[in-house]
Amino acid sequence: MTVCERIKKVRIEEKLSQNEFAERLNVSRSTLMLIEQGKREVNTKVLEALKSEFNISADWVLFGSDVGVSNDSEELILRRMRELSMLTPCLTHFMPFIESLENFAQKDSKTYERIKAIRTGMDKISETTELINNIKTKTEYSLFDKTGLKLSRIIDLQLWEVLKKVQELTRYINISDADTLQSLVPIYYDNIENYLGGLEQQINNFLKQQDKAKE
């Protein structure tokens, strides 16, 4: 069962119309329709609404695990490691594109400042994912909370969401050829401000959660 199928299943089992369900999730009906059709990613706000309104865990929505599974269960720890390890390689593909955008943008432009902020945030996220990827066993992961960088479940979800946004773009970019990458930058640059704004917000959310965990 996919993410969109699980969300639709919740609505049907609650015997709610799309309008009623969308209202409970604080999204528009059109947004809900796209989510149920698998044409739109589920964001953190929807996951939190499902938890608060229907007591549905984010782990079940995203990965199909049982509601109420402990954050330290072996199954969940292994799933965290597997999902993050699948997504993190896209950072390697994404950074050259961001660097090319930065070189292309006018230095006094809003986009240039936004790209710089994203690049700084991505560098910090790369440090986090490197730590995670170096963890080889579920025992090491469960002990990871005791290190200087405490990972809570919400941080995992924020990181997952950032990486999914990066993956959306990198799947269309061939970074193996520098000339191809450079030729793509002007094409993307003219239409990229909205995308960068969404990515910057996700990065900032992740970094805020990371800072809270260190307190």
Side-chain angles (χ1 to χ4, degrees), residues 108-208:
D108 60 348
S109 68
K110 175 183 176 182
T111 302
Y112 178 78
E113 294 301 320
R114 175 160 280 169
I115 291 169
K116 281 185 63 178
I118 288 173
R119 184 176 178 183
T120 300
M122 294 303 289
D123 286 339
K124 292 181 180 178
I125 288 175
S126 294
E127 294 175 6
T128 301
T129 55
E130 184 177 353
L131 287 173
I132 294 172
N133 288 334
N134 286 335
I135 297 172
K136 303 301 181 184
T137 68
K138 59 182 180 295
T139 301
E140 289 176 349
Y141 195 103
S142 64
L143 294 175
F144 195 50
D145 282 355
K146 299 178 182 178
T147 68
L149 177 64
K150 180 182 177 183
L151 280 185
S152 66
R153 187 69 188 109
I154 190 64
I155 290 182
D156 281 355
L157 291 174
Q158 293 286 4
L159 177 57
W160 188 85
E161 194 163 325
V162 170
L163 295 178
K164 287 294 287 185
K165 278 189 173 291
V166 171
Q167 189 183 51
E168 287 173 15
L169 188 56
T170 56
R171 72 179 62 171
Y172 300 112
I173 300 173
N174 176 15
I175 61 94
S176 61
D177 179 63
D179 292 334
T180 300
L181 178 62
Q182 291 294 336
S183 66
L184 283 173
V185 167
I187 299 172
Y188 277 91
Y189 183 82
D190 290 338
N191 300 288
I192 203 169
E193 185 60 33
N194 288 338
Y195 174 83
L196 292 178
L199 179 58
E200 184 182 32
Q201 182 178 359
Q202 293 303 329
I203 290 173
N204 288 337
N205 287 342
F206 172 78
L207 296 178
K208 286 177 183 176

Side-chain angles (χ1 to χ4, degrees), residues 20-156:
E20 292 169 332
F21 195 46
E23 186 175 347
R24 296 279 294 275
L25 297 180
N26 197 27
V27 298
S28 66
R29 181 175 179 272
S30 59
T31 295
L32 176 61
M33 287 177 63
L34 291 174
I35 291 174
E36 289 192 353
Q37 293 169 5
K39 296 179 180 179
R40 183 159 183 166
E41 295 286 346
V42 178
N43 60 31
T44 306
K45 288 184 179 179
V46 171
L47 293 173
E48 291 174 348
L50 284 166
K51 176 64 177 177
S52 62
E53 292 288 326
F54 305 101
N55 196 30
I56 301 295
S57 73
D59 294 304
W60 180 81
V61 176
L62 296 174
F63 312 119
S65 61
D66 293 335
V67 176
V69 173
S70 167
N71 281 353
D72 294 324
S73 72
E74 292 187 8
E75 180 186 359
L76 182 53
I77 290 169
L78 289 171
R79 184 177 297 111
R80 287 178 183 175
M81 294 169 65
R82 183 172 63 251
E83 291 289 332
L84 291 172
S85 66
M86 289 172 61
L87 290 174
T88 48
C90 68
L91 291 176
T92 303
H93 300 282
F94 188 67
M95 289 307 290
F97 181 68
I98 283 293
E99 291 170 3
S100 297
L101 280 173
E102 188 175 1
N103 292 333
F104 186 83
Q106 297 295 321
K107 291 194 174 183
D108 60 348
S109 68
K110 175 183 176 182
T111 302
Y112 178 78
E113 294 301 320
R114 175 160 280 169
I115 291 169
K116 281 185 63 178
I118 288 173
R119 184 176 178 183
T120 300
M122 294 303 289
D123 286 339
K124 292 181 180 178
I125 288 175
S126 294
E127 294 175 6
T128 301
T129 55
E130 184 177 353
L131 287 173
I132 294 172
N133 288 334
N134 286 335
I135 297 172
K136 303 301 181 184
T137 68
K138 59 182 180 295
T139 301
E140 289 176 349
Y141 195 103
S142 64
L143 294 175
F144 195 50
D145 282 355
K146 299 178 182 178
T147 68
L149 177 64
K150 180 182 177 183
L151 280 185
S152 66
R153 187 69 188 109
I154 190 64
I155 290 182
D156 281 355

